[in-house]
Amino acid sequence: MDSTTDLIVAPATAPQPAARSIVRLAGDGLSGVLRQLFLSADGSPLQLPDLQQPAQLINVAFHPEALGSVWGKLPVAVLFWPGPAGPLGAPVAEVQLPGSASLQAAFVQEACRLGARLARGGEFSLRSFLAGKIDLLQAEAVVAVIDARTPQELSQALDRMAGGVGRSVEELREYLLDLVADIEAAIDFADDLAPDAVPVPDTTQDAITPKIQHVCRQLDRVTHQLAGRDSGGQGGLPRVVLAGAPNIGKSSLFNHLVGRDAALVENASGTTRDWIAGELRDTAGIVSCLLVDLAGIGGLYESGDWLVAERDVSAAADRVAREEIQRADVIVACHDSDSDPLITVVDSTTAECIHVITRADQQQAEKKMAGPQEWILTSVKAGVGVEKLRQRILKIVSSLDRATPATIRLRAGLESARESLVQAEKSMTGCDGLPSDEALLAVLLRHAIDALGEATGAVVGTDILDRVFSRHCIGK
């Protein structure tokens, strides 16, 4: 395993034209490498803040013995955190360069020549987690921010990164740790053994039970908050994609389902070049999912002459459509009424699939209905089957579990912790009329503490760490 103090470097922004690009560096020897890379803007040796100073934005110039000999004088700045107060709990620098992919690559290469190594995916986030700057829930939210494709998804991911739920759970865990400390102190210093100067905590039922009940109420509040987030508004909407070959009526079906002319409809292949999204509402007018109209994909199906039909959709649009299919929660596979009845959707996704025949007012629609799966016959022109399709989508969407891996783990941790707390409260009454067992009480409370720690990452195995951070991008 790589050291967590190695000097690492990676682009933090995409290598594409932009006003600015950012490269991030962190680890042992950072200050020395920065002094080899840069001079101060006035040409003097680079001065960096010491450990006691706050972060500073420093205007710099490339060192003439490094990139300056090739790139000359360019507007460059370094945001430098000198010590443990920074986002990684150690010195870290974000170098702000002009937005050139070539310059960004050259800078990373030069940093590696001077002793840095390229960061692995998620390594910056892992160091932040290990330093206690973020919890595991926030670390997983970084992935959600990177993957966000709509303003709503980004808003929800940023809200998770803010760490509200994680902080609440960690505060409850700290509360329980203090409670266990009091109970174990009472066990160690019984009334007849405690020195006069050592106060023995009150561990009677009247003192402990209200504290356990308080934590239970707070856990219920967090659980309710999680449930609201999972079903939650715009950011957590399931994605339902309309997929199929070009020019088979997907956009007409999409417009009819969302109730407005959001997608352009023409009798020509390749009219839709990018995905278009709209909200699908239930009978009560509540938004239930995000409906996505994709560009036509010639190779979406495994067999039949459809593979070679309508190849004029651009490669970029085809790639984007395939990516959206992989992200979908539900796929509405649209089939033309004139195409081969043996067409099947490729088995490259675990999403629920609904088979639909579009433009069923045209000929030969009936033969497509044969087969093990029920196909929905639709015709926007004739007003046939669209409402049936809507109800099928809504039924499937209502059964989906939209929780992220982080939320699933947190939910399980909350349930396990609450169960242990309930048992702890019951133990306060004693068994068969005997006094309560303080040692058993402490064990049950520790079970609750461990469950909460596993949920937030305060206590976590290396297997979970590998799963979380392996999904991060390099530079994050």
Side-chain angles (χ1 to χ4, degrees), residues 193-348:
L193 298 177
D196 293 339
V198 179
V200 178
D202 184 359
T203 58
T204 62
Q205 180 176 353
D206 290 342
I208 299 298
T209 299
K211 295 180 179 180
I212 295 176
Q213 293 174 343
H214 164 73
V215 177
C216 286
R217 288 193 298 270
Q218 294 304 309
L219 290 179
D220 290 342
R221 180 184 62 81
V222 174
T223 301
H224 180 74
Q225 184 179 352
L226 279 178
R229 188 174 72 181
D230 291 344
S231 62
Q234 302 292 326
L237 291 178
R239 298 180 72 84
V240 179
V241 302
L242 297 175
N247 195 34
I248 60 169
K250 297 188 305 297
S251 295
S252 296
L253 190 59
F254 171 83
N255 288 342
H256 201 81
L257 287 169
V258 300
R260 59 188 178 90
D261 293 335
L264 181 63
V265 178
E266 293 288 346
N267 289 322
S269 298
T271 301
T272 303
R273 294 286 177 151
D274 198 359
W275 60 268
I276 302 171
E279 297 171 340
L280 184 66
R281 299 176 180 271
D282 61 17
T283 54
I286 299 174
V287 178
S288 297
C289 63
L290 196 68
L291 193 66
V292 181
D293 180 26
L294 301 182
I297 300 178
L300 176 63
Y301 299 97
E302 294 178 285
S303 60
D305 295 337
W306 210 349
L307 279 169
V308 294
E310 306 295 343
R311 294 286 187 172
D312 62 335
V313 178
S314 70
D318 187 275
R319 174 180 55 79
V320 170
R322 291 175 185 274
E323 290 175 354
E324 288 301 313
I325 289 173
Q326 296 302 317
R327 297 179 66 234
D329 297 292
V330 181
I331 299 173
V332 178
C334 299
H335 309 272
D336 190 273
S337 60
D338 294 327
S339 54
D340 195 304
L342 299 178
I343 293 169
T344 58
V345 177
V346 293
D347 188 22
S348 62

Side-chain angles (χ1 to χ4, degrees), residues 380-401:
V380 172
K381 182 177 180 180
V384 173
V386 179
E387 188 57 31
K388 182 178 180 181
L389 173 60
R390 183 196 307 275
Q391 295 306 317
R392 176 75 63 80
I393 293 173
L394 293 175
K395 180 179 180 180
I396 293 175
V397 164
S398 66
S399 66
L400 293 176
D401 186 352

